[in-house]
Amino acid sequence: MSGWETVIGLEIHAQLATRSKIFSGASSAYGAAPNTQACLVDLGYPGVLPVLNAEAVRMAVRFGTAIGARIARQSVFARKNYFYPDLPKGYQISQYELPIVAHGAIDIVLDDGSVKRVGVTRAHLEEDAGKSLHEGLPGVTGIDLNRAGTPLLEIVSEPQLRSAKEAVAYMKKVHTLVRYLEICDGNMQEGSFRCDANVSVRPKGSDKLGTRAEIKNVNSFRFVEKAIQYEVTRQIELIESGGTVVQETRLYDPDKGETRSMRSKEEANDYRYFPDPDLLPLTLDEEYIEAVGAQLPELPDAKAARLVAQYGLPAYDAGVLTASRELADYYEAVARAVPSQPKLAANWVMGDLSAALNKEGLDIGAGRMPAERLAGLLTRIVDETISGKIAKEVFEAMWASGDSADRVIEAKGLKQITDGAAIERAIEEVMAKNPAQLAEYRAGKDKLFGFFVGQVMKATGGKANPAQLNELLKKKLPG
Amino acid sequence: MYDFCTDFRFLDGTLMALTRAQVESIAHLARLELEPAEIPAFQDKLSRIVDFIGELERADTSGVAPMAHPLSGLSQRLRPDAVTEGDGRELYQRNAPQVASGLYLVPKVIE
């Protein structure tokens, strides 16, 4: 692979979280019975006219402002002409020469911790197409037009991504951003957030772009990574064995883990765009743009920087905790309740809690472990009622029962032993039971200190206060 | 934009008649099936339409701002984001040649 540079640009389609469609008053809710949310405008009946949804415009401006892009004072809707049964009008209303958002940038964090700025060429408003269904319909294709007319924001990056990993990091960042902005639910299974990847390779040092293949409609982060990796290897092997890459659309097959040619783009690509005569240019004034900008929430990068400054967290932790607004809010609620130990709170949220949520496929917002309940557990670690190790056991019981930390500690008798005399007694018993080890230790085998810690912990059911135990052992063992 | 004027013009600006292949390609994009014998007539007619539109190319438009719509100075009206259309499937599908389980059926589309 060395000797080659990968060049990737992503086109991300984010379905905007409006109630109604971009040009009609039909509902855009997911999952309704086929064609029950497809009105005459969506069906492309003669004589109907599109009327633009104000909320879709506001959401596009919100996104543009968040990525520091230029918001067009005037943008134009154009018809993209092609024939397909899930596109009843014979054209998709999109934006071509004058998109609503242009020239923005998004920062991603690379594996080595450095920050890379990725240019966003443009983001434009358009309507989604319907769905074609083939299964269980021998000889025919079934068309469901519920999705037709759902507002999409197509976010087009510069070809500045240099690996599958960078592409995924960028896609995740856009995903985080649209959810922070509450303009897209980000549900990839339902197709609310999907992406096309333009992939090409070129000899290292070359500044000329190679011929690209476009991988269509990938709807998971893992598949994007795998599809790009496969495609890069395919192109390099093809060129090295004397072949040439053809410009084409390819589909990723997750079952086989490969991309395959869908159709040659040369012919299909002739979309004959022209301004849609049914729609006037969209004009936005300063006042409107400023008002939308003033309503932006704290964005992920700003939030992460604040978590570092306010709670002294490492940048890595801040990045993980700001992956979603809900997670960051949860963390802050815990950290506020345990103000002396913000890092401990971060470790628990990113560690045991996230693991438990992942295991059951739950979201932080599901409310399975309210922030105050986790904070209750951490408070007992901080005030030394329990050790960090026992806390894990308490957490598991809390997770299973929904009880508070105090109730679990009480019911299971897990309160830490901080009574020095009791710990001393336990130490003496262990020393008496293990004379051989004691003799070795006294003869200079320092490593056995750990053995005694373990034995006393075992004897006290793990409840001895670790700091006290260490101190007392150091005093008692030498004799 | 699809630029007929430059696509079908010689470098010196004079009109180039559309080739047979170009007419076939345009017909394909429009999903029109032409009889081979019809093509020369369309070459002639389409070339004349292109030439007619091409008059605009010869007009002096320096200093004229491009328009995206003939109703210049007007802006797109916006609609509040509200669901105003109910389920009209039963009614709309009466016009469809073939439906099943709420789906419109079309000849099989193979990618």
Side-chain angles (χ1 to χ4, degrees):
Chain A
M1 296 281 183
S2 59
W4 295 96
E5 181 177 54
T6 304
V7 178
I8 304 160
L10 293 188
E11 295 168 13
I12 292 173
H13 290 88
Q15 277 184 356
L16 296 176
T18 54
R19 281 187 282 273
S20 65
K21 293 190 177 171
I22 184 168
F23 297 117
S24 84
S27 167
S28 57
Y30 179 85
N35 293 306
T36 54
Q37 291 174 178
C39 71
L40 294 175
V41 172
D42 309 323
L43 295 173
Y45 266 63
V48 299
L49 283 173
V51 188
L52 184 57
N53 185 333
E55 187 61 8
V57 172
R58 192 189 67 88
M59 288 177 169
V61 173
R62 212 164 142 80
F63 179 79
T65 311
I67 62 163
R70 203 149 72 207
I71 309 298
R73 302 307 187 259
Q74 192 178 61
S75 65
V76 170
F77 287 93
R79 292 185 181 180
K80 177 181 179 176
N81 298 280
Y82 66 93
F83 284 104
Y84 209 74
D86 60 20
L87 188 76
K89 297 194 295 298
Y91 59 86
Q92 176 193 29
I93 305 178
S94 181
Q95 295 191 302
Y96 189 60
E97 286 180 315
L98 296 169
I100 186 163
V101 169
H103 305 300
I106 288 174
D107 288 345
I108 57 171
V109 179
L110 305 182
D111 275 351
D112 64 2
S114 65
V115 173
K116 173 171 176 158
R117 177 151 291 190
V118 181
V120 174
T121 317
R122 56 187 281 151
H124 62 253
L125 284 166
E126 62 182 26
E127 56 179 342
D128 210 342
K131 270 185 192 161
S132 302
L133 303 155
H134 307 283
E135 266 162 53
L137 298 164
V140 291
T141 293
I143 306 293
D144 175 8
L145 294 167
N146 280 350
R147 196 179 68 176
T150 299
L152 290 177
L153 188 65
E154 179 174 333
I155 304 156
V156 183
S157 84
E158 290 287 320
Q160 288 171 343
L161 300 159
R162 290 290 173 268
S163 69
K165 272 208 154 69
E166 284 187 21
V168 171
Y170 168 82
M171 191 177 171
K172 282 188 173 165
K173 191 62 180 285
V174 175
H175 189 249
T176 297
L177 202 52
V178 296
R179 284 176 306 138
Y180 263 70
L181 294 166
E182 295 175 317
I183 62 173
C184 172
D185 67 18
N187 189 323
M188 297 172 83
Q189 262 115 44
E190 293 178 0
S192 302
F193 189 88
R194 49 194 205 260
C195 116
D196 302 342
N198 288 302
V199 180
S200 64
V201 296
R202 64 182 173 193
K204 264 195 186 131
S206 163
D207 54 5
K208 215 175 117 234
L209 290 171
T211 305
R212 68 170 196 268
E214 183 180 13
I215 310 168
K216 275 273 182 207
N217 263 335
V218 198
N219 67 346
S220 94
F221 297 123
R222 202 162 56 88
F223 292 166
V224 165
E225 184 164 358
K226 292 197 161 188
I228 293 173
Q229 276 165 351
Y230 176 88
E231 184 58 21
V232 168
T233 309
R234 185 188 73 86
Q235 291 186 12
I236 292 171
E237 283 176 2
L238 186 62
I239 298 168
E240 285 184 344
S241 63
T244 44
V245 176
V246 290
Q247 186 172 332
E248 63 182 352
T249 304
R250 298 180 71 85
L251 269 187
Y252 178 67
D253 180 340
D255 296 328
K256 293 195 176 124
E258 60 182 35
T259 65
R260 59 165 184 270
S261 181
M262 208 166 122
R263 59 175 178 229
S264 174
K265 229 187 165 179
E266 282 132 311
E267 186 184 58
N269 203 13
D270 201 346
Y271 293 128
R272 294 149 295 148
Y273 283 96
F274 63 89
D276 191 332
D278 287 345
L279 289 155
L280 287 156
L282 170 66
T283 316
L284 302 174
D285 59 27
E286 290 311 317
E287 205 184 337
Y288 173 85
I289 295 167
E290 270 171 36
V292 174
Q295 288 162 3
L296 289 187
E298 184 180 36
L299 297 174
D301 291 346
K303 202 184 267 295
R306 184 172 59 76
L307 293 192
V308 170
Q310 189 173 336
Y311 301 103
L313 293 182
Y316 174 81
D317 294 22
V320 172
L321 292 169
T322 51
S324 79
R325 244 165 114 167
E326 293 76 17
L327 185 63
D329 288 349
Y330 184 96
Y331 167 72
E332 290 210 81
V334 177
R336 273 195 299 271
V338 195
S340 64
Q341 296 276 1
K343 176 60 179 153
L344 179 73
N347 291 347
W348 274 86
V349 173
M350 298 186 333
D352 294 69
L353 176 66
S354 290
L357 288 167
N358 282 344
K359 206 168 147 193
E360 296 194 17
L362 289 175
D363 235 35
I364 190 95
R368 178 66 183 273
M369 176 70 72
E372 58 270 26
R373 205 177 293 158
L374 182 64
L377 173 65
L378 304 194
T379 303
R380 293 297 163 252
I381 301 174
V382 174
D383 70 13
E384 300 194 334
T385 304
I386 52 172
S387 69
K389 197 161 170 220
I390 291 289
K392 288 181 186 290
E393 193 184 329
V394 176
F395 177 84
E396 269 171 39
M398 290 166 70
W399 182 263
S401 65
D403 281 340
S404 70
D406 285 346
R407 186 169 298 195
V408 171
I409 293 166
E410 180 68 34
K412 295 191 149 208
L414 293 172
K415 196 166 175 332
Q416 187 161 250
I417 304 169
T418 50
D419 171 6
I423 298 175
E424 248 175 276
R425 272 197 305 281
I427 291 175
E428 277 156 15
E429 270 168 44
V430 167
M431 283 166 65
K433 265 192 223 159
N434 299 281
Q437 282 86 347
L438 185 61
E440 278 182 62
Y441 178 81
R442 289 183 173 163
K445 201 168 176 192
D446 291 346
K447 270 196 217 154
L448 280 172
F449 189 79
F451 165 79
F452 286 102
V453 173
Q455 290 301 309
V456 179
M457 274 297 185
K458 209 170 143 192
T460 57
K463 290 183 286 185
N465 175 290
Q468 268 176 297
L469 169 59
N470 267 301
E471 205 172 302
L472 288 169
L473 263 179
K474 271 183 209 154
K475 223 183 285 172
K476 303 217 90 165
L477 283 180
Chain B
M1 298 301 137
Y2 199 79
D3 193 347
F4 284 98
C5 298
T6 46
D7 274 13
F8 304 117
R9 197 163 282 283
F10 291 109
L11 286 175
D12 67 3
T14 57
L15 179 70
M16 164 174 62
L18 268 69
T19 64
R20 189 180 179 91
Q22 283 169 325
V23 170
E24 280 169 348
S25 160
I26 292 165
H28 173 70
L29 286 170
R31 297 298 186 273
L32 294 173
E33 194 178 2
L34 298 184
E35 296 295 329
E38 293 177 293
I39 293 177
F42 278 102
Q43 275 177 265
D44 179 52
K45 285 179 190 168
L46 283 174
S47 296
R48 278 191 279 137
I49 291 170
V50 170
D51 194 39
F52 175 67
I53 302 294
E55 289 284 327
L56 287 172
E57 288 284 287
R58 294 189 275 279
D60 179 11
T61 55
S62 55
V64 179
M67 288 163 81
H69 202 279
L71 301 176
S72 97
L74 292 181
S75 173
Q76 176 60 38
R77 265 181 54 193
L78 300 179
R79 161 181 78 72
D81 179 27
V83 176
T84 54
E85 297 287 334
D87 172 14
R89 181 174 83 182
E90 206 269 322
L91 177 65
Y92 305 150
Q93 291 201 333
R94 283 186 215 159
N95 280 339
Q98 219 190 341
V99 294
S101 325
L103 298 167
Y104 294 92
L105 298 186
V106 298
K108 194 161 190 67
V109 186
I110 297 165
E111 280 282 301

